[in-house]
């Protein structure tokens, strides 16, 4: 299998990449990291410039062709690839990538079918359900829909020793990151983030976790500005906690 | 003209009111969830509704002809309006020809879309809006801020002040019961005196030629049954094939809108009562254009329940006026650009694309996907700030070139570390209320090359 | 070209390929063990009051005991005022109570179908200060799907589902019963 590290994780959150890699190896995967990967193209596409992402897409296809599974620790980037990756010169390869790319927790639950996680994390943790992972990829049931309840990230977190999971009052409301929305609609974006934080703070959590570093980056930015003691941590870092390779 | 981001920022300045607006509408969403979860067949119902609407839209011409034929047989007069102007002219003509001066109107988003009140006012004709929320905003010379809860942006003291001024209620009496009762007395006078009543249409039934109007207050019925003329205005997409299909939609509408199992009144109008005139105005106003756009035609399935408003985390924190359009919220953000993609170029961007809107939609409109598609459409037409385009073009250029990307990332991390003031300043919208991520020493790739590469 | 022709030809040109109507399988929807109990429960949550009465005599007693003024539209309770269709809205506005019968009651949502024949005067159930609707127990159905099977919406010029008293929450979302129409609704099931 192969490992996709979204650009901002590569540049700003290498720790998340490291944890993901270590975790996948621990779970018995043979992992490769294509060195010339950059970005999935989502920032352009969500801003209305999908047509500018051709180069990005081509580069993605070039880097990720020929693997059984592609796994990335970011629901949002994975969803973008699934929905929008295209390469007119190499349609077959692009289509195959779209159908073999997985978000990390989805991969562990659905493909690896692992139900034993050797990790320990003795803290109070609030799970932020990132929209693209949840509503886009279907990582968990959604409060709007009348369907059976489930949550792949929660299912994995519950296997971590000593962790105390706490749900905010609105369990699946958007944090307001939304890519360039966070900059062009700064006031609403921040307000949404503050409101999410308020509900996690009410639960007195030590950490807010999630499957998407982008949401966590936005939440972290607000937490740090507020001088809050709550920290953000990617789910891979929890699932990999308490035991190195 | 201020854009959504600017208007939203102004709305949020009043922090307690923003909280109130958010929490009140979230509560409505919560009631909707409870109502939806009380029916095991909820998702099936949505699917049926979606399929009925798809079918009706794909056979609209024949259903409209069938509807008109039946309506004429029922004794109604059917008018066709190609645009808002013609809709308003038709209504004005009916008013003039019958020498009418006392007019009441129940809620109709179509007449808002056509700016009927302004049109008639300019001709010296007064229309009294009879939905309580609409009457409140009419007194205040404001448009509705929500299609189901028109005065949701107001607090009871605002209403109290308005009613004190217009209805001479006690100053400072903010009791909703007292204020509603004052409106009841005021509006019952208007109903009794009304000569002509205008209503919207929730559903029009092709096989029977009838129209259905839903209210909780009873204002549509009070007006139509008291007046000698009833005008029902409808966008042509209101058509459904059969009466039995009403079951599907009436089961979904109120549950989605307010969490009620059904509106108090679901009134089915077929024939005028003896001596009464019933006019039905069928309006296009850009709808046939939308019908021809494969990416956007689904928006015509909308039944105006506003569930997408109530669930939208952006709408709840920015208020209806930030959308500067007669229909706000997520559905407004995909409908309005059809009318004017330049004036409403900002609306498809007023969303974090969280997708909650599509999930609550009772007729399964792919709202958040359409928002995404509208973004592509709008930038293609060139209606977007130049700075944004240039920045993203540069970004696309870099991200397509792995070498440049790594160099750029290194530079950015270096800048963040050595000169944080370069980025951490007020010109950077991220930094205004958020910290930038702290720059790591190396990228993941650098780490990987050092530690993992065999 | 008339606007009608313009609109219809624009639709013909732009309409998408025809899709099929769904088959609405009523056996796939919710069911209740006790329709009357369910109807009563929902009616109470939407602000109505349910009175169970065993027979016609008892019903007459309930109506007679409770009401100071009856504008009677229920045939089983005797003939109604012949002039009712012609009474103006202004006069009806002062009617304290209207009693009418309904065709079908819906257990899932507390609504009752009332046709123009039963209203006699269309505005009556909306303008009266209080409303009583009389319904036979056998006419309570499960859902709206079942209700539409039992009624013909176009049989009379007008008909309505009425669910509870008139209400609004347009001021700060606080529920107020008695917006424009009846401030109270009682349903008599016999």
């Amino acid at each position: 299998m192969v490992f996709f590290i979204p650009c901002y994780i590569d540049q700003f959150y290498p720790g998340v990449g490291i944890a993901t890699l270590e975790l996948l190896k621990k779970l018995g995967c043979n992992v490769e990291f294509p060195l010339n990967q950059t970005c999935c193209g989502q920032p352009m596409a969500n801003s209305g410039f999908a047509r500018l992402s051709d180069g990005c897409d081509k580069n993605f296809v070039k880097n990720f062709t020929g693997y059984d599974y592609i796994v990335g620790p970011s629901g949002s980037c994975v969803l973008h690839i699934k929905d929008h990756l295209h390469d007119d010169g190499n349609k077959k390869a692009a289509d195959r990538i779209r159908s073999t790319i997985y978000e990390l927790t989805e991969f562990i639950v659905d493909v690896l079918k692992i139900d034993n996680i050797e990790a320990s994390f003795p803290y109070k943790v609030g799970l932020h359900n990132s929209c693209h992972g949840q509503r886009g990829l279907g990582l968990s049931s959604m409060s709007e829909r009348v369907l059976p309840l489930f949550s792949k990230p929660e299912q994995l977190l519950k296997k971590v020793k000593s962790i105390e999971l706490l749900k905010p009052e609105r369990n699946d409301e958007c944090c307001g990151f939304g890519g360039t929305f966070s900059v062009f609609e700064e006031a609403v974006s921040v307000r949404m983030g503050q409101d999410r934080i308020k509900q996690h703070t009410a639960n007195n959590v030590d950490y807010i976790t999630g499957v998407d570093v982008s949401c966590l980056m936005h939440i972290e930015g607000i937490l740090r500005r507020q001088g809050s003691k709550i920290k953000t941590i990617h789910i891979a870092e929890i699932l990999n906690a308490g035991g190195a390779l | 003209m201020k854009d959504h981001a600017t208007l939203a920022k102004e709305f949020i300045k009043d922090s307690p009111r923003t909280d109130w607006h958010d929490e009140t509408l979230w509560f409505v969403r919560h009631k909707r969830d409870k109502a939806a979860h009380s029916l095991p067949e909820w998702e099936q119902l949505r699917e049926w509704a979606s399929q009925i609407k798809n079918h009706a839209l794909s056979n609209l011409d024949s259903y409209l002809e069938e509807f008109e034929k039946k309506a004429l047989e029922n004794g109604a007069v059917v008018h066709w309006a190609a645009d808002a102007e013609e809709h308003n002219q038709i209504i004005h003509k009916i008013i003039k020809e019958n020498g009418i001066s006392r007019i009441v109107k129940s809620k109709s988003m179509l007449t808002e879309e056509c700016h009927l009140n302004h049109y008639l006012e300019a001709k010296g004709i007064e229309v009294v809006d009879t939905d309580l929320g609409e009457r409140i905003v009419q007194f205040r010379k404001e448009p509705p801020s929500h299609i189901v809860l028109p005065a949701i942006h107001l607090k009871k003291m605002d209403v109290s002040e308005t009613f004190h001024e217009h209805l001479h209620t006690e100053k400072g009496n903010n009791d909703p019961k007292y204020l509603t009762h004052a409106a009841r007395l005021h509006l019952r006078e208007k109903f009794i005196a009304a000569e002509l009543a205008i209503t919207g249409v929730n559903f029009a039934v092709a096989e029977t030629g009838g129209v259905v109007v839903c209210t909780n207050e009873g204002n549509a019925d009070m007006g139509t049954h008291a007046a000698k003329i009833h005008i029902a205005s409808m966008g042509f997409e209101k058509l459904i094939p059969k009466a039995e299909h009403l079951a599907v939609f009436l089961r979904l509408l109120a549950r989605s809108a307010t969490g009620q199992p059904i509106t108090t009144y679901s009134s089915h109008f077929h024939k005028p009562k003896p001596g009464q005139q019933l006019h039905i105005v069928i309006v296009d106003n850009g709808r046939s254009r939308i019908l021809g756009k494969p990416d956007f035609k689904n928006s015509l399935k909308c039944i105006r329940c506003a569930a997408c408003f109530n669930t939208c985390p952006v709408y709840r924190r920015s208020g209806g006026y930030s959308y500067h359009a007669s229909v706000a919220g997520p559905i407004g953000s995909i409908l309005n650009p059809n009318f004017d993609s330049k004036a409403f170029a900002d609306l498809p961007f007023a969303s974090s694309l969280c997708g909650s809107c599509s999930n609550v939609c009772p007729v399964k409109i792919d709202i958040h996907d359409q928002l995404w598609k509208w973004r592509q459409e709008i930038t293609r037409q060139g209606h977007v700030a130049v700075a944004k385009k240039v920045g993203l073009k540069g970004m696309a250029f870099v991200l397509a070139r792995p070498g440049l990307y790594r160099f750029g990332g290194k530079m950015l991390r270096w800048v963040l570390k050595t000169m944080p003031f370069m980025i951490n300043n007020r010109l950077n919208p991220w930094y205004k209320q958020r910290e930038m991520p702290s720059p790591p020493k190396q990228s993941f790739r650098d780490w990987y090359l050092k530690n993992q590469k065999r | 070209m008339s606007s009608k022709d313009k609109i219809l030809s624009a639709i013909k040109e732009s309409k998408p390929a025809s899709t099929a109507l769904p088959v609405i399988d009523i056996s796939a929807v919710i069911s209740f063990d006790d329709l009357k109990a369910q109807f009563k429960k929902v009616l109470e949550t939407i602000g109505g009051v349910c009175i169970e009465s065993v027979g016609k005599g008892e019903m007459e007693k309930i109506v007679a005991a409770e009401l100071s003024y009856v504008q009677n539209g229920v045939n089983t309770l005797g003939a109604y005022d012949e002039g009712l269709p012609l009474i103006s809205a202004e006069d009806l506005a002062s009617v304290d109570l209207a009693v009418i019968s309904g065709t079908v009651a819906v257990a899932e949502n507390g609504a009752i179908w009332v046709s123009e024949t039963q209203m006699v005067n269309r505005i009556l159930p909306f303008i009266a200060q209080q409303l009583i609707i009389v319904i036979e127990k056998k006419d309570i159905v499960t859902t709206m799907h079942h209700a539409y099977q039992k009624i013909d919406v176009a049989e009379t010029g007008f008909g309505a589902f009425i669910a509870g008293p008139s209400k609004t929450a347009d001021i700060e979302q606080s529920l107020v019963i008695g917006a424009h129409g009846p401030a109270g609704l009682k349903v008599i099931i016999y």
Side-chain angles (χ1 to χ4, degrees):
Chain A
M1 63 148 296
V2 70
F3 179 36
F4 158 50
I5 286 293
C7 51
Y8 62 94
I9 296 185
D10 178 38
Q11 294 298 333
F12 294 116
Y13 295 93
V16 174
I18 296 166
T20 309
L21 181 71
E22 288 182 354
L23 177 65
L24 285 170
K25 284 191 164 177
K26 250 196 250 179
L27 298 176
C29 299
N30 177 17
V31 190
E32 276 185 57
F33 177 71
L35 287 167
N36 277 329
Q37 56 179 291
T38 60
C39 169
C40 61
Q42 179 171 220
M44 278 84 75
N46 282 7
S47 305
F49 293 98
R51 63 190 175 282
L52 295 184
S53 72
D54 285 0
C56 236
D57 281 31
K58 265 200 178 60
N59 186 57
F60 198 94
V61 173
K62 210 158 88 191
N63 274 278
F64 289 94
T65 297
Y67 297 100
D68 294 338
Y69 300 106
I70 304 159
V71 178
S74 162
S76 188
C77 306
V78 168
L79 177 68
H80 178 75
I81 293 295
K82 251 191 196 323
D83 282 355
H84 300 295
L85 183 77
H86 63 277
D87 183 349
D88 294 339
N90 204 351
K91 198 176 169 305
K92 241 177 116 182
D95 288 349
R96 171 152 173 82
I97 289 172
R98 287 167 67 162
S99 63
T100 50
I101 189 162
Y102 288 86
E103 182 279 330
L104 177 66
T105 61
E106 177 182 43
F107 182 71
I108 298 175
V109 172
D110 294 347
V111 179
L112 299 179
K113 301 195 190 332
I114 299 270
D115 54 12
N116 188 31
I117 298 281
E118 296 275 337
S120 147
F121 197 71
Y123 299 99
K124 289 183 178 174
V125 176
L127 171 65
H128 172 65
N129 285 301
S130 289
C131 305
H132 287 174
Q134 188 198 24
R135 298 192 182 84
L137 294 173
L139 296 184
S140 63
S141 51
M142 304 152 243
S143 59
E144 302 95 358
R145 305 286 305 273
V146 182
L147 296 168
L149 296 179
F150 71 95
S151 166
K152 295 172 194 175
E154 233 179 87
Q155 185 183 329
L156 294 176
L157 286 172
K158 280 183 178 156
K159 302 209 185 314
V160 173
K161 252 179 252 132
S162 313
I163 197 170
E164 189 182 342
L165 266 182
L166 294 152
K167 275 187 196 189
E169 193 195 317
R170 302 180 190 176
N171 190 41
D172 57 6
E173 191 177 43
C174 177
C175 69
F177 171 67
T180 47
F181 175 81
S182 64
V183 176
F184 295 113
E185 285 267 3
E186 184 263 343
V188 183
S189 167
V190 169
R191 181 67 181 217
M192 284 163 70
Q194 289 168 340
D195 289 353
R196 294 286 70 228
I197 288 169
K198 225 186 269 173
Q199 298 197 337
H200 284 288
T201 307
N203 282 345
N204 208 11
V205 298
D206 304 306
Y207 286 92
I208 298 173
T209 190
V211 300
D212 244 309
V213 184
S214 50
C215 305
L216 295 176
M217 173 171 77
H218 163 71
I219 292 169
E220 180 197 31
I222 299 169
L223 283 169
R224 279 176 49 209
R225 177 61 57 88
Q226 290 175 340
S228 169
K229 282 184 193 145
I230 301 173
K231 290 184 283 286
T232 54
I233 186 167
H234 187 266
I235 192 164
E237 296 173 287
I238 295 182
L239 298 178
N240 189 49
L245 269 181
Chain B
M1 177 92 148
K2 289 179 182 169
D3 67 357
H4 181 273
T6 311
L7 293 163
K9 194 174 157 192
E10 288 169 10
F11 183 84
I12 288 175
K13 269 191 193 138
D14 189 341
S15 188
R17 196 173 275 233
T18 305
D19 271 340
W20 182 85
H21 193 263
D22 167 55
E23 279 157 18
T24 306
L25 288 166
W26 179 261
F27 183 61
V28 180
R29 151 79 207 271
H30 174 74
K31 287 193 291 183
R32 172 259 170 219
D33 289 355
K34 267 175 71 178
H37 284 272
S38 73
L39 292 182
E41 68 269 29
W42 183 256
E43 300 296 337
Q44 177 67 68
L45 268 181
R46 291 175 71 220
E47 184 55 35
W48 283 337
S50 170
Q51 289 177 13
I52 295 168
K53 281 282 182 179
N54 281 337
H55 170 84
L57 288 174
S58 64
N59 294 279
L60 205 49
D61 47 341
S62 48
Y63 281 130
L64 278 167
E65 286 184 287
E66 183 185 357
F67 173 78
E68 184 190 39
K69 185 170 162 276
K70 295 284 178 183
L72 292 174
E73 283 169 19
N74 289 338
V77 184
V78 179
H79 309 261
W80 299 74
D83 53 26
E85 176 74 18
E86 191 175 5
H87 164 263
N88 295 345
Q89 282 168 358
I90 289 166
I91 293 182
H92 181 229
K93 195 164 163 240
I94 298 168
I95 294 168
K96 228 172 52 189
E97 281 178 359
N98 289 279
I100 300 290
S101 60
R102 295 186 302 273
I103 302 167
V104 291
K105 178 162 79 68
S106 66
K107 201 154 65 198
S108 148
M109 292 325 296
L110 177 63
T111 60
E112 289 292 330
E113 174 189 319
C114 296
H115 302 291
L116 175 70
N117 283 12
H118 288 300
Y119 179 92
L120 293 177
E121 261 164 40
K123 300 199 166 347
I125 298 165
E126 190 205 0
V127 178
V128 175
D129 281 331
T130 57
D131 172 82
L132 175 59
E134 284 210 318
R135 188 61 176 152
I136 294 167
V137 295
Q138 187 178 42
F139 277 142
R140 298 170 64 93
K141 301 197 185 331
E142 292 171 358
S145 73
H146 183 291
I147 57 174
V148 172
L149 319 165
I152 194 66
H153 59 293
L154 298 171
K155 302 284 299 251
K156 54 190 176 189
M157 40 279 196
D158 304 325
V159 178
S160 173
E161 268 171 40
T162 303
F163 277 14
H164 174 65
E165 185 189 331
H166 293 272
L167 301 178
H168 313 295
T169 53
E170 260 169 56
K171 200 172 172 61
N173 190 334
N174 300 339
D175 178 15
K177 240 186 195 160
Y178 168 75
L179 296 169
T180 301
H181 190 70
R184 175 186 171 97
L185 298 180
H186 158 70
L187 286 167
R188 278 173 80 98
E189 271 176 31
K190 299 286 181 190
F191 288 127
I192 289 163
E195 300 166 294
L196 185 147
I198 302 169
T199 70
V201 169
N202 289 93
F203 307 99
V205 183
E207 75 170 348
T208 65
V211 297
V212 177
V213 181
C214 304
T215 73
N216 276 323
E217 297 181 2
N219 53 320
D221 290 290
M222 289 288 272
T224 51
H225 305 317
K228 61 184 183 196
I229 302 173
H230 171 193
I231 303 176
S233 282
M234 57 176 267
F236 65 48
E237 80 283 11
K238 297 291 171 200
L239 222 61
I240 57 172
K242 294 178 177 170
E244 66 179 69
H245 296 143
L246 287 167
V248 173
F249 292 102
L250 292 182
R251 295 187 79 198
L252 286 163
L253 178 63
R255 287 185 174 100
S256 297
T258 59
Q260 292 170 264
I262 188 170
T263 50
T264 305
Y265 303 107
S266 310
S267 301
H268 299 50
F269 296 88
H270 279 89
K271 297 175 188 147
K273 64 179 183 187
Q276 193 190 34
Q277 300 174 31
L278 170 60
H279 296 265
I280 301 171
V281 189
I282 301 171
V283 182
D284 182 335
N285 202 33
R287 286 164 174 75
S288 52
R289 220 172 46 236
I290 304 178
L291 194 64
K293 298 180 188 173
D295 282 347
F296 303 120
K297 66 172 180 0
N298 269 346
S299 59
L300 290 173
K301 283 152 68 178
C302 177
I303 58 170
R304 302 293 192 269
C305 71
C308 62
F309 286 53
N310 305 334
T311 200
C312 179
V314 177
Y315 175 86
R316 276 187 267 112
R317 292 172 181 83
S318 62
Y321 296 154
S322 63
Y323 294 78
H324 53 87
S326 58
V327 177
I331 187 69
S333 296
I334 59 171
L335 284 174
N336 294 303
N338 284 301
F339 298 115
D340 187 341
S341 60
K342 193 174 173 202
F344 300 113
D346 55 326
L347 296 186
F349 294 90
S351 161
S352 61
L353 300 181
C354 78
S356 188
C357 46
S358 307
N359 270 352
V360 295
C361 180
V363 291
K364 293 186 138 183
I365 301 171
D366 50 344
I367 303 176
H368 74 292
D369 288 333
Q370 288 196 35
L371 287 167
W372 191 89
K373 287 172 184 163
W374 266 116
R375 290 180 184 189
Q376 315 304 324
E377 184 71 27
I378 279 166
T379 60
R380 206 171 289 130
Q381 293 174 8
H383 305 316
V384 75
V386 177
K388 195 164 167 179
K389 196 170 164 182
V390 169
L392 284 160
K393 257 194 179 148
M395 192 168 173
F397 183 79
V398 170
L399 291 172
R401 290 161 181 78
L404 262 184
Y405 155 76
R406 291 196 288 270
F407 175 72
K410 221 172 254 169
M411 284 297 289
L412 186 60
R413 271 179 285 128
W414 181 75
V415 168
L416 268 176
K417 211 165 150 187
T418 53
M419 297 181 281
F421 52 87
M422 289 285 285
I423 290 173
N424 297 349
N425 65 55
R426 293 273 148 188
L427 292 174
N428 172 2
W430 179 277
Y431 186 70
K432 272 169 82 175
Q433 302 183 74
R434 281 169 294 215
E435 297 296 328
M436 295 293 289
S438 17
K441 281 197 295 289
Q442 56 186 359
S443 71
F444 172 77
R445 187 178 181 275
D446 295 340
W447 175 87
Y448 183 82
L449 284 174
K450 230 179 279 171
N451 297 287
Q452 298 284 322
K453 191 98 168 88
R454 281 159 288 200
Chain C
M1 199 153 70
S2 72
S3 287
K4 175 185 167 183
D5 295 338
K6 248 196 287 185
I7 293 169
L8 288 176
S9 70
I11 290 173
K12 277 195 185 88
E13 209 168 286
S14 55
K15 68 177 179 178
S18 181
T19 59
L21 269 178
V23 178
I24 311 237
D25 175 11
I26 300 191
S27 69
V29 306
I30 198 166
S31 60
F32 307 106
D33 294 338
D34 184 341
L35 290 178
K36 191 175 74 177
Q38 173 67 21
F39 175 82
K40 187 177 173 191
K41 191 177 99 190
V42 179
L43 182 69
E44 281 163 4
T45 64
I46 56 177
V49 175
C50 195
I51 299 168
E52 291 175 54
S53 146
V54 277
K56 189 179 162 229
E58 201 140 342
M59 188 168 74
E60 278 169 342
K61 252 190 277 166
I62 290 169
V63 174
E66 290 222 8
L67 316 173
S68 56
Y69 189 101
V70 179
Q71 184 69 49
N72 187 4
V74 182
N75 290 333
T76 51
L77 288 175
Y80 59 79
D81 184 340
E82 294 289 331
L84 182 56
L86 302 172
I87 300 178
S88 70
E90 192 173 358
D91 290 334
L92 287 175
S94 57
V95 166
D96 287 320
L97 177 88
V99 184
I100 56 176
S101 57
T103 314
V104 177
V106 188
E108 68 160 326
N109 59 20
I112 297 175
W113 175 260
V114 184
S115 73
E116 183 163 21
T117 319
Q118 292 163 322
M119 297 172 189
V120 184
N121 185 322
R122 281 187 192 186
I123 203 170
L124 181 67
F126 307 98
I127 203 166
Q129 302 288 339
Q130 301 280 329
L131 179 65
I132 287 182
I133 305 180
V134 182
I135 186 94
E136 280 189 63
K137 188 181 166 223
K138 68 167 177 56
D139 292 330
I140 307 176
V141 298
T142 312
T143 70
M144 293 296 281
H145 305 290
H146 305 86
Y148 277 104
Q149 283 183 336
K150 285 191 78 167
I151 59 174
D152 174 0
V153 293
E155 191 184 17
T156 58
F158 177 74
F161 282 102
I162 298 179
S166 150
K167 57 181 86 66
T168 184
D170 273 350
I171 302 174
E172 274 202 11
Q173 274 297 288
S174 14
L175 180 68
V176 179
I177 303 283
H180 307 294
L185 171 76
K186 287 180 183 142
V187 174
I188 297 179
I189 303 174
Y190 72 102

